[in-house]
Every structure is written in C-alpha cells, then in structure tokens.
Amino acid sequence: MLHKILKLHPLLSVGLFAYIFLLSGLIVNFLQLLVFVFVRTFSEKWGTYLNGYLQASHLSIFTFAVEWHCSCRLRLFCDDATMEYLNQEHTLCVCNHRGEVDWLMGYTLLERLNGLKGCKGLIKGEAKYLPVVGWLMWFTDYLFLSRNWKRDESIIAQTCRLWANYHPTFCPNYYVLYAEGTRFTPAKHAASIKFCEERGIEPFRNVLCPRTKGASEVISQLGESLGSIQNVVFGFPGEEEPTVQTMFAGKKTDIDIYIRRVGTKELAGSDREEVSNFILNQFRNKDDLLEYHKEHGRFPGPIRPIPRRKRSLIFFYIWALLTIIPGNIFVVWLIISKCYKMILLISLIYVFGGIAAHKIIGAASLKKSSSYGTEKAK
C-alpha cells in the first residue's frame, strides 16, 4: 500500500520520504548517543559496530528509494581478484564524482555487499553540524575536513589512528573518497583543464584533476591496517544522467560501477609523492574507462551479479511503521478532540515541508552545484 502511495505524485513521494527520514533519523541519533555513552565507553569495538549497524538501518531509506522505489538496474564490473576481496578487508574507495547521485549509488552497492555498516567518508567539516545526517556521520567516525591543510593534517592523523584500530574480520570498513573535491560540470572541467595545462599535466577528458595530498596522507597514516585501494568509477549508460529529484520521484535508473582492487603492498615503501602520482594515474585510468563507456555503453570486463536484498525494504517499512502510525494516531486524537487549528497547522507544515524538501532536492542539480574551482569562485 505504501509503495503505491509513493508512486502517486513526486511531491507526495518526497514529502513522505522526508518525514520518515527525519523522524527515524532523530530516533537513530538518540540510539547512537546511548551506544556512544553506555557501550563505546567500555568497548570501542562493540560501540563502533552497533553505531555502524544503526547507520546501515537508517541509510536503508536511501537504498530503498534506489532499489525498490525506482527499480535501479545496477551493473558491477570487476575482475576475479577484486571480487574475491570485496567485504574482506579495510579499503579506500577512490571514486569519480560524475553526478549528484554517485553517493546514492555507492550506498546501494555497499548495501548489496553487506558493507553499509562499515561505510565511512572524507567529508566537509560543516556537515557534522547538520541534524540527523551530520550527527549520524559523527557517531560513526567520518573524517571531517576543513580544507585548511594545517588543520586537516592533524585531523587526518587523529582519525586514521582510530580507523587503524578497527579489525577487518569483525567489520570491514569502506573509506570513501571523492578526490576531485566537487562534481563534474563543464565549467569545472574547463577550470581543471586550465589547471593541468599550467602545471604540465595532460588534461583529463571525463574527470577533474584530483587533489592527491589528502588521499596520500590517509594512505600513509593507515599503513598496514589498509588492505587495498579500490579504483571506483561511476558511469551512466542512459542518455540522461539521473538526479536525486528524478530518483525520489520514482523514475527508473540505470547505473554502471567499475571497481579494480590494488593491494597496498604494491605501494609499500612509497613516499607521499609516489603515492600522489599513483592516485593521479588512477584518475588517468578512470578517464580512459569513462571514454570506453561512452563508446560501448558499458565498462570492460565481466558483469558480476549482485542482486538486491530485502533488508532495505524491511528496514524502510519498519521505520515507516514507527513514524507514520504514531503520527496518524496523533492526528486522530486531534480530530476527536476537535483541535482543528492544530490539524490545519500540521497540514500546512507537512505541505510546506514537502515543497521545501522538493526544492532542496532540486537545488542539488548539477547546474547549482558548488562553485569551487570555477573562475567565479576565485
């Protein structure tokens, strides 16, 4: 029944998703706080694991939208060696930032690999102050960067010491890094080409020139605790790239993901400059792979079957029941009590909240992405 309601109208769909996400998020944040105080204080291992599991349960609202609401077709391309090690070790996922749904696709892939509870990212420092999402990330030990190297160097060292204590057999972690620092747009691509030409680097065609300093520091600080580096490439086989707005509206989406594992033993003894060149070469490889994808409508190599699991569906309906039923009971009580002004107020809040959520999702479109790296931003 709820599944059909979500298909009725994009505004209704976004409003309902926003309602469930925000209320369930506050519940998760509260539970994470309890775990942080009463479990992690005595056992960092179990506290980290439980908060990671709570993260996975909440992010299942996103993966539900991708897998069940808009019936995403996800194709994974990787070789046998990469497939063998998936979800078996701590790994740094170096991704291209092609569009606004890359993170959604990454969450969906990790959900299918049962790795969502170990997902951690390198993200802007301001994000930790965001209610629900930012607090969830803080409790699960994301690395928050200020884009000031003097500060970030110590933040990276501190967080990586914490990450290095995690044991991969208990909960393998995926450290997600978008080294380009921003989404790919024509304006930013032009700025990237100019940047490369000024420094004698061959310009990239389908990616932006990556920032290698932070990634090199992370790899160096994690040391032997990091099992591999995954070269992750997102591609869209359709004529139009999906947006967050179209996905939450229920439009069917196709996505291709290419992954290739590089063991950190191959970088043993490398200094930071050599690691930086390694990352630059990984982006050169991404560039070639995306060019291949343009020509052939797919990445090279075998397609690995990774069917969707019912866990995201189950978690979504659990959160829906925990948030919608109490809300309906409250509305019924208001009707019985003849509190018509309060009913009108709640209705207006829901309508305007849905409109606001719809606008916020629309504002995430590529045309309105960050101005970082463009001439205007200088």
Side-chain angles (χ1 to χ4, degrees), residues 246-309:
T246 59
M247 294 189 74
F248 276 92
K251 185 176 180 180
K252 189 172 181 179
T253 301
D254 292 337
I255 184 74
D256 291 342
I257 303 178
Y258 176 93
I259 303 178
R260 184 178 178 275
R261 176 185 183 272
V262 178
T264 49
K265 290 182 179 179
E266 297 184 27
L267 295 174
S270 301
D271 58 27
R272 282 174 171 76
E273 184 177 352
E274 290 171 328
V275 174
S276 292
N277 289 332
F278 165 79
I279 294 167
L280 199 64
N281 289 333
Q282 292 293 298
F283 271 82
R284 188 71 60 194
N285 181 244
K286 292 181 197 292
D287 199 26
D288 294 337
L289 286 166
L290 286 167
E291 197 66 25
Y292 182 96
H293 193 274
K294 279 183 183 179
E295 296 176 9
H296 300 89
R298 54 163 289 161
F299 289 117
I303 300 175
R304 304 292 180 170
I306 45 166
R308 64 183 182 181
R309 305 187 306 158

Side-chain angles (χ1 to χ4, degrees), residues 38-327:
F38 296 107
V39 179
R40 186 161 173 168
T41 303
F42 305 100
S43 174
E44 186 175 80
K45 172 183 173 182
W46 281 103
T48 301
Y49 178 78
L50 290 173
N51 270 339
Y53 197 84
L54 287 168
Q55 170 185 251
S57 74
H58 190 239
L59 294 180
S60 65
I61 296 172
F62 287 133
T63 57
F64 166 84
V66 176
E67 297 187 297
W68 299 92
H69 182 53
C70 67
S71 302
C72 167
R73 185 188 68 160
L74 190 154
R75 299 190 297 183
L76 174 64
F77 300 81
C78 65
D79 56 26
D80 292 336
T82 300
M83 197 69 187
E84 180 184 353
Y85 280 94
L86 284 177
N87 219 31
Q88 301 296 319
E89 60 185 355
H90 295 329
T91 184
L92 177 68
C93 301
V94 182
C95 312
N96 67 311
H97 204 351
R98 184 71 196 181
E100 63 183 70
V101 299
D102 301 337
W103 58 278
L104 268 175
M105 297 300 106
Y107 282 155
T108 303
L109 177 61
L110 289 180
E111 164 59 28
R112 295 191 182 191
L113 295 173
N114 194 28
L116 201 53
K117 59 183 175 292
C119 177
K120 304 181 189 305
L122 287 78
I123 196 165
K124 294 178 184 178
E126 311 90 77
K128 65 184 174 185
Y129 301 111
L130 290 173
V132 178
V133 178
W135 300 342
L136 180 142
M137 291 177 176
W138 188 85
F139 281 120
T140 46
D141 301 323
Y142 277 58
L143 203 169
F144 296 98
L145 299 172
S146 65
R147 286 186 172 172
N148 180 313
W149 181 244
K150 289 183 179 179
R151 296 179 191 170
D152 288 342
E153 191 172 15
S154 61
I155 292 171
I156 290 172
Q158 181 182 357
T159 305
C160 286
R161 281 196 296 271
L162 180 63
W163 286 354
N165 290 330
Y166 300 149
H167 202 286
T169 57
F170 188 71
C171 181
N173 289 331
Y174 293 85
Y175 310 120
V176 181
L177 169 66
Y178 292 95
E180 293 159 290
T182 187
R183 291 196 296 261
F184 184 95
T185 65
K188 290 169 188 174
H189 185 219
S192 173
I193 291 173
K194 182 180 179 182
F195 177 88
C196 290
E197 290 175 343
E198 289 173 350
R199 287 158 179 78
I201 303 171
E202 182 184 348
F204 297 90
R205 296 159 294 178
N206 304 290
V207 295
L208 305 179
C209 188
R211 303 172 181 181
T212 60
K213 185 183 287 186
S216 302
E217 186 68 20
V218 169
I219 293 169
S220 174
Q221 291 288 343
L222 286 174
E224 294 181 357
S225 69
L226 186 67
S228 67
I229 299 163
Q230 303 279 9
N231 186 19
V232 182
V233 189
F234 297 102
F236 305 101
E239 293 183 2
E240 292 185 12
E241 294 186 4
T243 65
V244 176
Q245 191 171 10
T246 59
M247 294 189 74
F248 276 92
K251 185 176 180 180
K252 189 172 181 179
T253 301
D254 292 337
I255 184 74
D256 291 342
I257 303 178
Y258 176 93
I259 303 178
R260 184 178 178 275
R261 176 185 183 272
V262 178
T264 49
K265 290 182 179 179
E266 297 184 27
L267 295 174
S270 301
D271 58 27
R272 282 174 171 76
E273 184 177 352
E274 290 171 328
V275 174
S276 292
N277 289 332
F278 165 79
I279 294 167
L280 199 64
N281 289 333
Q282 292 293 298
F283 271 82
R284 188 71 60 194
N285 181 244
K286 292 181 197 292
D287 199 26
D288 294 337
L289 286 166
L290 286 167
E291 197 66 25
Y292 182 96
H293 193 274
K294 279 183 183 179
E295 296 176 9
H296 300 89
R298 54 163 289 161
F299 289 117
I303 300 175
R304 304 292 180 170
I306 45 166
R308 64 183 182 181
R309 305 187 306 158
K310 290 185 178 179
R311 191 169 73 169
S312 61
L313 180 68
I314 293 169
F315 270 128
F316 176 79
Y317 273 94
I318 289 173
W319 287 127
L321 290 173
L322 288 175
T323 54
I324 292 175
I325 290 178

